[in-house]
Every structure is written in structure tokens, then in C-alpha cells.
Amino acid sequence: MDIKTQEKQNESIRKKMLDVQELRIAKCPSNSPWIRPVRIYFKQNGEHKDWDVVKAHDGVNIIIFNVSRKKLVFVRQYRPAYFYTFIPEKYGSVDLKQYPPSLGLTLELCAGIVDKNKPLVEIAKDELREECGYEAPLEAFKYIITCRYVSTLVCKQTLFYVEVTDEMHTHPGGGSAAEGELIEIVELSIPEVKEYINSEEVQSPPCLLYGITWFLANKPEYCS
């Protein structure tokens, strides 16, 4: 897919992405398929304690470098959870003029939840194709690290690195239409990436920051 076609697709996706209406906040149902909140009771050093935990799906994240264009490839999505950090903590309808949906846009690594009984690298390969449109062989994926989010939200995240070329861009990307995904493909040069992570505030999760830091430290041949 050439740059102009990609820009046109992103423009169409952004329009749909920001077409958010009738947003309201309510209690999370106990049968949520995405998270499982629990309270952990324990005794530590003779003292009774408790801790509230939300268990979420494990996931895979992919650092993508297009060697043809010398650019890192990311995705941009509307994240209700991120949007929620900007609005008052109360139930009910949200004034979308006062709090526009654009507040919920995030820049992220290509990623996906682990909800299939298959090797993590195969899930990463599927997400690369669905979200960014690249078809890469399994041997192109390099395992980097597995880490766990800790505090209240708990889940395991596994990070891969893959190098792609323009010739591998054989699919439209943009996410799975069957799952209602709306995903922009974002390419940034190394100077643009460095400028972004040196901003006072980034619209990204920690995994993206780690992924970029890993790339800059381990791929100096692309960073000069």
C-alpha cells in the first residue's frame, strides 16, 4: 500500500473512530468477558491486609521497523479507558462537547490479547497482518521480553520485534472489521520517535515507551 492510499484509509478510519455518541459511565457488570475484579485477603507480618485486583487478558506487543522506509510502525486507536482519565469520576452521560472523543486517542505498539490456543508468536503474526497489513514469516519475529503489569491491574505482556519491508505490506490493515476494530497505521521516523518520547506527556502506554527504548538501544544501525 502506498503512502497516499494509507493516508486516505487513515482519514476514513479517523472519521469513524471519532464518531462517538451517547457515551455514559456505568458500573462494570460482574460477568465482563474482559476483566475479573477480585479482592485478595492475606496476613503479612501478623497484620491482616487486603488488596483489590483486576485481572485482564494477557497480551502480545510488537515493535515494527519498516526497513524500506526507515520508520517505526505504530497504531492509533480510540481507547475508552484512556478517555476516562480525562472526565469526572461519576456515573451517567458525558458531555462530548466538553470532553471530545479525541481525548481518547492513543499511540501504541501493534498488539493483541491472548485469547486463542496458539503460540504467542503466531498471535503476534496475526496481529501484525490485521492491524498493520504486513505479512511476515514466523522466523522474522524476535522474542524480546515478557513482563507483568502489577498494582491493581494484572496481566502478562510479551514483546516481539520484527523487521518488515514495503513488499510485505499485502493487506489493508486497520484492524478486524468482524470485531469492529478501527485502527490507524502510524509511521514515525527515528527523529520523530525521539521527539515524541521526550514530550512532557505522551498518549501511550508504558509498553510503547519500553519498546522504543529497546529499539534505540539495540538497533543503533538504524538510529544514526
Side-chain angles (χ1 to χ4, degrees), residues 11-189:
E11 184 180 344
S12 175
I13 288 176
R14 175 70 69 92
K15 185 176 180 181
K16 296 176 182 177
M17 195 185 297
L18 294 181
D19 184 16
V20 178
Q21 303 175 34
E22 300 178 10
L23 191 149
R24 62 187 180 88
I25 310 300
K27 289 184 178 180
C28 183
S30 59
N31 62 345
S32 167
W34 311 112
I35 60 172
R36 297 192 302 275
V38 298
R39 173 163 291 183
I40 300 175
Y41 296 93
F42 59 102
K43 191 174 183 179
Q44 183 181 51
N45 193 33
E47 181 182 353
H48 289 281
K49 298 182 178 181
D50 57 70
W51 194 269
D52 292 338
V53 172
V54 177
K55 179 70 172 72
H57 279 287
D58 295 338
V60 296
N61 295 262
I62 311 114
I63 308 164
I64 308 165
F65 185 69
N66 184 318
V67 296
S68 300
R69 305 188 194 186
K70 300 295 186 290
K71 290 188 176 183
L72 285 160
V73 183
F74 305 98
V75 297
R76 180 177 284 121
Q77 300 187 67
Y78 171 77
R79 294 295 198 183
Y82 187 71
F83 177 79
Y84 185 61
T85 64
F86 292 95
I87 63 177
E89 292 187 31
K90 61 180 182 179
Y91 297 138
S93 298
V94 175
D95 183 350
L96 296 176
K97 290 184 179 180
Q98 183 178 1
Y99 303 100
S102 57
L103 290 172
L105 296 182
T106 60
L107 185 71
E108 307 175 12
L109 296 178
C110 173
I113 62 173
V114 178
D115 58 354
K116 302 178 183 69
N117 185 24
K118 57 197 309 185
L120 295 181
V121 66
E122 290 188 17
I123 295 177
K125 174 182 167 69
D126 292 345
E127 294 298 336
L128 177 68
R129 180 180 60 255
E130 287 183 8
E131 294 193 357
C132 298
Y134 292 98
E135 190 67 67
L138 290 175
E139 58 268 23
F141 289 82
K142 174 183 173 60
Y143 169 81
I144 303 301
I145 197 171
T146 297
C147 58
R148 287 170 169 80
Y149 280 88
V150 294
S151 184
T152 298
L153 176 70
V154 292
C155 62
K156 182 171 67 175
Q157 298 291 320
T158 298
L159 186 64
F160 292 93
Y161 171 70
V162 66
E163 293 182 2
V164 298
T165 64
D166 283 347
E167 288 71 29
M168 293 180 182
H169 201 274
T170 56
H171 303 275
S176 170
E179 297 177 7
E181 290 183 324
L182 294 169
I183 297 173
E184 289 183 37
I185 302 169
V186 180
E187 297 181 346
L188 296 179
S189 65

